[in-house]
Amino acid sequence: MSQTRKVRKAVFPVAGLGTRFLPATKAVPKEMLTVVDKPVIQYVVDEALDAGIEHLIFVTGRSKAVIEDYFDIQVELEQTLRQRNKTAELTLLDSILPVAGSTSFTRQQEPLGLGHAVWCARELVGNEPFALLLPDMIMKGEKGCMKGMVELFEHSGANVIAVEECAPDQAHKYGIVGVGEKVGEGFAITKMVEKPAPGTAPSNFFINGRYILQPEIFSILATQERGAGNEIQLTDGMVKLADSQKFAAYHFRGETYDCGAKDGFILANIAFALERADIRPSVEGPLRELVAGLK
């Protein structure tokens, strides 16, 4: 296994079509749908930066150029804001602009699955450990999920997967891990099963869309056979990698919102709006009235 080194790079697989959000995603990438006033991808990038990530790698597809534009300067907009003395808005735009040279974009020409998307980033990642953040999932907790994962990686030197608990009777819907001995703020992973048959799951800890992986995963994915959905599955590659390397689970204690699904997206908007001092006073009352009026 590669020597334990700092996790400097993060991969964001943003090539998905977002079919669960049609017709909106016919013209707008699902990652650019807004939760309150920021696109979903901004929350995920902020989580990575908070964890010390220095280089952002986006695996994109056709019609996703707007994501690249979002993480760049918009000259006409900024000139207009300066002319109108909109200093607060200019400061906001400057705060979300990545450091020059810290973002890279590569194409996944075909929708062949998450494993294939990760493999497409191999040349940009190189021979070092990297973070992988699914862009649909945004998380809210006292400590950022990826920040806790980086701490566990530095403590254990193992590949790290973030997990949460679900109701045992719901385990068949997720990728589930087996529970071993305690390791830091998590535990050793004894096995990984993608959507186990009802009643056969090794635990109720499900994989929530955050990973730290060693670069040896790339050589495995290069020859990985297609699995579920006729796609190259990352879980299948990780199972093979586990034959030669350790895996640890970071137990994330917070809220995760699947913004690739309508219900998760709506709940995320409500949760993050209620956290905003400038918005909560105007929405809390109407929300309570709506809930009270439910039949």
Side-chain angles (χ1 to χ4, degrees), residues 127-255:
N127 188 35
E128 59 183 283
F130 65 99
L132 170 65
L133 298 92
L134 300 194
D136 292 342
M137 316 301 288
I138 61 175
M139 299 175 178
K140 185 162 68 71
E142 291 187 9
K143 179 191 290 187
C145 183
M146 183 52 64
K147 186 172 185 177
M149 293 175 68
V150 168
E151 292 172 357
L152 180 56
F153 172 79
E154 292 174 347
H155 170 75
S156 67
N159 297 273
V160 179
I161 300 174
V163 299
E164 298 178 46
E165 292 183 81
C166 66
D169 63 357
Q170 299 297 304
H172 65 281
K173 298 180 179 180
Y174 305 101
I176 300 292
V177 302
V179 180
E181 63 184 10
K182 180 175 175 57
V183 179
E185 291 188 51
F187 53 85
I189 292 175
T190 58
K191 65 190 308 184
M192 289 174 268
V193 185
E194 186 65 34
K195 296 183 179 179
T200 66
S203 76
N204 67 325
F205 283 97
F206 70 93
I207 300 171
N208 72 2
R210 299 289 189 267
Y211 313 79
I212 295 176
L213 299 170
Q214 293 285 355
E216 287 78 9
I217 190 68
F218 294 123
S219 60
I220 293 173
L221 293 173
T223 57
Q224 179 68 52
E225 296 180 357
R226 297 192 188 193
N230 198 34
E231 296 180 337
I232 298 172
Q233 297 292 337
L234 178 64
T235 301
D236 294 340
M238 292 192 300
V239 168
K240 290 184 180 178
L241 184 59
D243 290 338
S244 59
Q245 296 186 8
K246 293 180 180 179
F247 274 77
Y250 172 72
H251 185 186
F252 176 63
R253 294 171 173 85
E255 297 294 331

Side-chain angles (χ1 to χ4, degrees), residues 9 55 57 106 118-128 218:
K9 299 179 180 180
H55 191 160
I57 300 169
T106 189
V118 172
W119 180 77
C120 288
R122 66 198 183 281
E123 297 295 339
L124 293 169
V125 171
N127 188 35
E128 59 183 283
F218 294 123

Side-chain angles (χ1 to χ4, degrees), residues 52-86:
I53 296 299
E54 302 169 1
H55 191 160
L56 313 173
I57 300 169
F58 298 88
V59 181
T60 70
R62 291 184 296 277
S63 79
K64 297 298 182 90
V66 66
I67 297 175
E68 187 169 353
D69 292 339
Y70 174 79
F71 289 105
D72 197 359
I73 293 174
Q74 223 282 22
V75 177
E76 295 82 358
L77 172 61
E78 294 192 8
Q79 286 178 342
T80 300
L81 292 174
R82 287 191 182 92
Q83 291 168 0
R84 298 178 181 178
N85 294 318
K86 298 284 189 178

